[in-house]
Amino acid sequence: MDRPLPALTQFVLKVHSRCDLACDHCYVYEHADTSWRGRPKAVPEAVLEQAADRIAEHARAHRLPTVHVVLHGGEPLLAGPGRLRKAAEELRRALRGVSALDLRIHTNGVLLNEQFCDLFVELGIKVGVSLDGDKASNDRHRRYADGRSSHPQVLRAVALLNQPRYRHLFAGLLCTIDVENDPVAVYDALVALDPPRLDFLLPHATWDAPPPRPDGSATPYADWLDAVYRRWDDAGRPVPVRIFDSVLRTLRGESSLTESLGLAPADLVVIETDGTFEQADSLKTAYDGAPVTGMDVFAHSLDEVLRHPGMLARQQGAEQLSQECRACPVVESCGGGLYAHRYRSGSGFDNPSVFCPDLMELVMNIRDREASAPVRPADTGLSVHTGDLEALAGGFGGEETVGRLAAAQLEFNGDLLAAVLEHAPREDRIAAQAGELLIELDAAAPDALDAVVAHPYLRPWALRILEGSAPATVVGGLAELAAAAALRARRGDSVVVPLREGMLRLPGLGSVSLTTCADHAEVTAGAEGFSVRAAGRELWIGWDEGVDGLTPHWQPVRLVELPGWTVALEDTDPLRDSHQWPVAPRLSPGEAKMWAEDLTEAWSLIRRELPLYAPGVAAGLRAITPLHSPDGSDVSAASREAFGAVGAARPDSPDLLALLIVHEFQHVKLGAVLDSHDLYDPADTRTFYAPWRDDPRPLAGLIQGTYAHIAVTDFWRVRRHTAQGEAARTAEAQFARWRQQTSEAVEVLATSGVLTPLGERFVAGMASTAQGWSAEPVSADALSEARRAAESHRADWQARNVTP
């Protein structure tokens, strides 16, 4: 049977085919392929329109949650603001209601100015810049055709991107390695520019045109990168470095972050300025015409491109590698290196990378350093990556950033569980057996245990025990966790679990209501379901039972499966009552259906209109707990102690549900940040003005509210463009109001005198986002009303709270 092909998710859209620099290591103009000479300089509008439609067609067919597009060249800024706007608008038009769009541009930076940056703020385009280090290193290759240095212009571009109003656009720096350059000098020069990410690339080469190896060294590129790695590692890894992070991930069995490492199938295609589809640009270094597919956006679909022999050759993981690579001990990390670097006349790409010795040495060096390094708390936490803090400070945080937050929270919960085990009465047989099974599953089925430990309501239970407020629940809670982990592992383990007034709690899975006076039940997992024995009776429950609510004794957690996100409707766990509003009882099938329908529409809106929030929500929000609103109003909440969950009463419309989700998930993210980092002095008891409250707020409450309202403001900022009629006018008024209030709150925070240096930097990130909205036009009426309301609120607040 043919294996299904993975979808294409990354698209390089060439908007200009010429460049204003003459870099002698450029794979487009200085290697074997010369096809650029016959292509249009600037991409025609018809190509942009059709390319956007083809990408959307593919995204719809494969239900892609996110599409990644890089505007490229040549030098893409040569296309000019008008054509770049057209490209972005066509992509957003075509993908509206289909997929979220992650849009970026990669530039040499020499033309970057405020006009372009303002355009990119408006269109949500992130900017990556090529820079090869300090001036001497950069000037070795990146010069104008007349020999002039480009370094001053690139530094000016980076300084522009580092301004608070543009910082959220900055995607990182890309550096091509030249082993003649001092590696430490290059690294130090790049880090000094405070980039959110660094990417070091091996120069393009093949076996026919091998890379320079000065002094006959066998592994000069590994040696160069090792010097950088040691500098980076010794400094505490202050910035994500893609090649190092990719090796570290693959050594842990995770996916690579770059196509030049790892075994993941190729998911990238290039669209040239004439509309032709090509394989990865790096193939231009192999031979003239190497990337050609013979297909174009007007006559062919992207599914047809996927079936091109050149694309198929890169979809088969280790199977498509040379025999030598398949036998290599580091193949899982190296992946054979970049496909283009394997080329040799006569044998094509059926060879190891021309950098094979360097790649093996690099992977082994990193592996050995990791094995011998002492364990550091920052290794699994957010503090490794200052780029994460930058992204979160702006109000956002993508899949990887929130994934690291979740990983740190999982470790935190694991530590809490270990502490609870220490508090368990050693003489209690149930507690002892549960503890032994949890320890055994940690080794034998870690994924099953992690899924239970990550349950949002583990932490509130553990903290209550450790604080001494609920010691009686330690035995039952441990047994419940062990039973839930055993069921997930499906190894056939049996666990005795105390019942809660006739109810068996299985955290994260559901609950079983038993009509018995027994105090305990024995739970045993099977392949098709599990059995529950209590008071001499046995109940068998299949894994798929009860989803429709027709099986009265079994109430499983309902999962709402959406494109790119699966979220639980948590209405079974008795410990879910961790929010300030009362929880709703178990949903009826009809109520659950309405929740699922509203979540489907809300998620579609978030992906479509708030694409900078969607990946983080998908990576970190595991459960939505239905709440009860006593007066029928819209209520929602997030608990600092329940990472991964938010509570909400189902609002009147999916639009408002989308707003509640992004609003409350801001609290979840910030709470996780505060678990690892001190942003303010907790001993300071002063209170401050909050533009949305009548009472003074402690700084903890003010920073939480301000951070949440960044998402609220952004929601209304976008809705005023997508809503119609009166709804659009309401959205504009709301945007003006929340923009005013959020900006005021950021100013209060910045001048509070309570922030730590890291807190000042975090608030500066919020300020950058708020400042980016300041120039966006709103009607005179909306602006006037927002200002009037702000002035009136402050006057009333001062009259009420400031002592004469």
Side-chain angles (χ1 to χ4, degrees):
M1 181 183 295
D2 293 337
R3 81 172 57 180
L5 293 176
L8 295 163
T9 63
Q10 300 186 65
F11 304 89
V12 174
L13 179 57
K14 298 295 189 76
V15 293
H16 206 278
S17 65
R18 304 296 191 270
C19 190
D20 44 5
L21 294 182
C23 308
D24 59 17
H25 56 12
C26 179
Y27 57 82
V28 176
Y29 306 109
E30 301 296 334
H31 283 269
D33 189 270
T34 59
S35 58
W36 60 273
R37 298 181 186 276
R39 291 200 169 99
K41 290 183 178 179
V43 60
E45 291 190 358
V47 170
L48 292 175
E49 294 166 4
Q50 186 65 16
D53 288 339
R54 287 297 189 193
I55 292 172
E57 173 187 57
H58 189 72
R60 185 179 296 107
H62 293 271
R63 302 182 67 184
L64 299 181
T66 304
V67 166
H68 306 273
V69 180
V70 178
L71 305 179
H72 213 282
E75 170 47 49
L77 296 185
L78 288 173
R83 204 164 301 262
L84 294 178
R85 175 184 291 279
K86 176 69 173 177
E89 290 177 345
E90 287 299 326
L91 288 164
R92 296 200 183 282
R93 169 195 60 78
L95 289 166
R96 187 171 295 118
V98 178
S99 299
L101 174 63
D102 173 24
L103 186 57
R104 300 174 182 240
I105 191 167
H106 196 89
T107 173
N108 59 36
V110 299
L111 293 179
L112 192 68
N113 56 26
E114 291 189 0
Q115 181 186 7
F116 278 119
C117 287
D118 288 339
L119 178 70
F120 299 156
V121 168
E122 177 188 349
L123 300 175
I125 302 176
K126 291 199 169 185
V127 185
V129 178
S130 294
L131 180 65
D132 287 349
D134 56 288
K135 186 175 187 301
S137 300
N138 193 74
D139 285 354
R140 193 182 294 275
H141 301 287
R142 294 189 181 278
R143 291 179 173 272
Y144 289 94
D146 61 7
R148 285 181 296 126
S149 169
S150 65
H151 193 255
Q153 288 84 354
V154 184
L155 291 189
R156 176 187 52 77
V158 173
L160 188 61
L161 289 171
N162 272 324
Q163 290 185 12
R165 56 180 169 155
Y166 300 135
R167 173 69 188 187
H168 66 287
L169 301 176
F170 197 4
L173 296 174
L174 182 148
C175 170
T176 300
I177 297 168
D178 186 326
V179 292
E180 297 283 0
N181 291 330
D182 182 331
V184 172
V186 168
Y187 170 78
D188 286 350
L190 295 176
V191 170
L193 298 176
D194 195 24
R197 180 179 295 275
L198 286 178
D199 197 5
F200 292 102
L201 298 184
L202 293 168
H204 287 312
T206 68
W207 290 99
D208 291 353
R213 296 187 180 276
D215 303 322
S217 171
T219 58
Y221 296 90
D223 298 342
W224 196 95
L225 283 166
D226 187 58
V228 174
Y229 183 89
R230 285 184 278 110
R231 183 75 160 188
W232 175 71
D233 193 42
D234 291 344
R237 304 179 181 181
V239 60
V241 178
R242 189 162 67 159
I243 190 170
F244 300 151
D245 288 338
S246 292
V247 173
L248 292 166
R249 285 170 61 90
T250 55
L251 288 171
R252 296 193 298 264
E254 301 173 22
S255 61
S256 171
L257 303 174
T258 171
E259 65 170 332
S260 61
L261 293 169
L263 292 170
D267 62 352
L268 177 146
V269 71
V270 177
I271 303 173
E272 292 284 356
T273 57
D274 59 0
T276 54
F277 289 120
E278 289 204 343
Q279 300 174 69
D281 260 1
S282 55
L283 284 170
K284 294 179 185 295
T285 198
Y287 58 87
D288 198 3
V292 171
T293 66
M295 304 183 198
D296 64 70
V297 296
F298 298 102
H300 303 89
S301 71
L302 283 160
D303 277 359
E304 290 177 279
V305 177
L306 264 176
R307 291 190 288 272
H308 182 273
M311 296 294 295
L312 290 173
R314 302 168 63 203
Q315 306 298 322
Q316 300 166 16
E319 297 174 18
Q320 52 90 26
L321 298 179
S322 67
Q323 184 175 353
E324 182 178 345
C325 285
R326 291 198 299 272
C328 178
V330 301
V331 66
E332 296 289 336
S333 290
C334 168
L338 195 66
Y339 189 72
H341 294 173
R342 306 173 200 167
Y343 182 75
R344 186 199 297 265
S345 297
S347 54
F349 298 95
D350 189 25
N351 309 287
S353 168
V354 72
F355 291 100
C356 177
D358 297 281
L359 293 172
M360 177 178 287
E361 185 75 8
L362 172 67
V363 173
M364 295 178 71
N365 283 345
I366 292 177
R367 182 197 63 189
D368 293 346
R369 282 183 65 87
E370 285 294 292
S372 62
V375 176
R376 295 170 300 188
D379 282 352
T380 55
L382 179 68
S383 56
V384 171
H385 301 284
T386 56
D388 287 343
L389 281 175
E390 296 285 356
L392 290 163
F396 311 112
E399 178 182 1
E400 292 179 12
T401 292
V402 176
R404 281 188 281 271
L405 282 180
Q409 290 290 304
L410 177 64
E411 184 173 352
F412 188 81
N413 280 5
D415 291 342
L416 286 175
L417 179 56
V420 170
L421 283 169
E422 291 295 320
H423 279 66
R426 300 185 184 279
E427 69 280 2
D428 189 287
R429 182 176 57 85
I430 293 177
Q433 290 178 346
E436 290 172 3
L437 181 56
L438 287 167
I439 292 170
E440 181 181 343
L441 291 173
D442 189 26
D447 290 344
L449 182 60
D450 283 352
V452 175
V453 174
H455 183 53
Y457 299 109
L458 178 146
R459 181 174 174 180
W461 162 77
L463 288 175
R464 284 195 289 271
I465 289 172
L466 297 176
E467 291 165 357
S469 60
T473 68
V474 62
V475 174
L478 288 174
E480 290 166 345
L481 292 170
L487 294 187
R488 290 182 180 275
R490 302 190 185 186
R491 301 191 317 162
D493 299 289
S494 294
V495 185
V496 176
V497 185
L499 300 180
R500 297 173 180 264
E501 299 181 350
M503 187 190 73
L504 170 66
R505 172 182 177 256
L506 297 169
L509 296 175
S511 62
V512 182
S513 179
L514 301 171
T515 55
T516 175
C517 59
D519 295 326
H520 300 81
E522 183 180 26
V523 182
T524 305
E528 303 298 327
F530 62 98
S531 67
V532 180
R533 296 184 184 89
R537 301 179 61 186
E538 181 173 347
L539 183 67
W540 174 259
I541 299 172
W543 293 119
D544 295 329
E545 283 188 45
V547 174
D548 57 2
L550 300 180
T551 307
H553 48 264
W554 171 227
Q555 296 184 340
V557 173
R558 298 180 177 102
L559 297 179
V560 182
E561 297 186 4
L562 304 168
W565 183 37
T566 298
V567 65
L569 279 174
E570 180 53 89
D571 59 357
T572 70
D573 194 328
L575 301 187
R576 70 189 187 278
D577 193 4
S578 297
H579 309 284
Q580 67 263 42
W581 298 99
V583 297
R586 172 73 169 178
L587 300 174
S588 69
E591 290 170 327
K593 183 174 182 292
M594 288 189 290
W595 263 102
E597 290 172 349
D598 283 1
L599 277 169
T600 300
E601 292 189 44
W603 179 237
S604 177
L605 183 150
I606 292 170
R607 293 169 64 223
R608 182 176 67 251
E609 299 186 8
L610 299 167
L612 294 179
Y613 298 86
V617 169
L621 185 54
R622 302 184 183 93
I624 293 178
T625 298
L627 301 180
H628 171 64
S629 174
D631 60 1
S633 60
D634 293 332
V635 299
S636 60
S639 170
R640 172 74 184 277
E641 297 177 356
F643 178 87
V646 301
R650 189 173 66 85
D652 291 336
S653 72
D655 292 3
L656 290 181
L657 180 57
L659 173 58
L660 294 181
I661 289 171
V662 296
H663 170 196
E664 295 300 343
F665 193 62
Q666 294 290 92
H667 289 300
V668 172
K669 290 187 295 185
L670 183 56
V673 171
L674 292 170
D675 280 340
S676 302
H677 300 280
D678 291 327
L679 301 185
Y680 54 86
D681 179 4
D684 195 303
T685 59
R686 285 180 291 168
T687 56
F688 300 89
Y689 172 68
W692 52 85
R693 294 283 296 244
D694 292 334
D695 56 329
R697 300 294 290 158
L699 194 114
L702 180 61
I703 195 170
Q704 281 279 3
T706 308
Y707 193 69
H709 290 145
I710 284 179
V712 173
T713 308
D714 221 359
F715 175 87
W716 293 115
R717 182 182 72 87
V718 176
R719 291 300 289 163
R720 67 197 171 114
H721 296 301
T722 58
Q724 303 294 323
E726 186 60 32
R729 287 187 287 274
T730 298
E732 182 177 51
Q734 291 281 9
F735 169 60
R737 169 196 172 195
W738 287 110
R739 179 178 68 176
Q740 177 79 28
Q741 293 185 353
T742 304
S743 296
E744 286 185 53
V746 167
E747 180 64 22
V748 173
L749 286 170
T751 58
S752 66
V754 185
L755 300 175
T756 64
L758 186 61
E760 291 176 353
R761 185 173 177 181
F762 197 89
V763 169
M766 288 196 278
S768 175
T769 298
Q771 187 177 0
W773 299 327
S774 61
E776 295 195 24
V778 296
S779 69
D781 288 345
L783 184 61
S784 175
E785 176 57 26
R787 290 174 175 170
R788 186 204 63 76
E791 292 168 0
S792 174
H793 182 272
R794 182 177 283 275
D796 290 345
W797 187 92
Q798 289 176 334
R800 187 181 300 110
N801 296 292
V802 177
T803 302

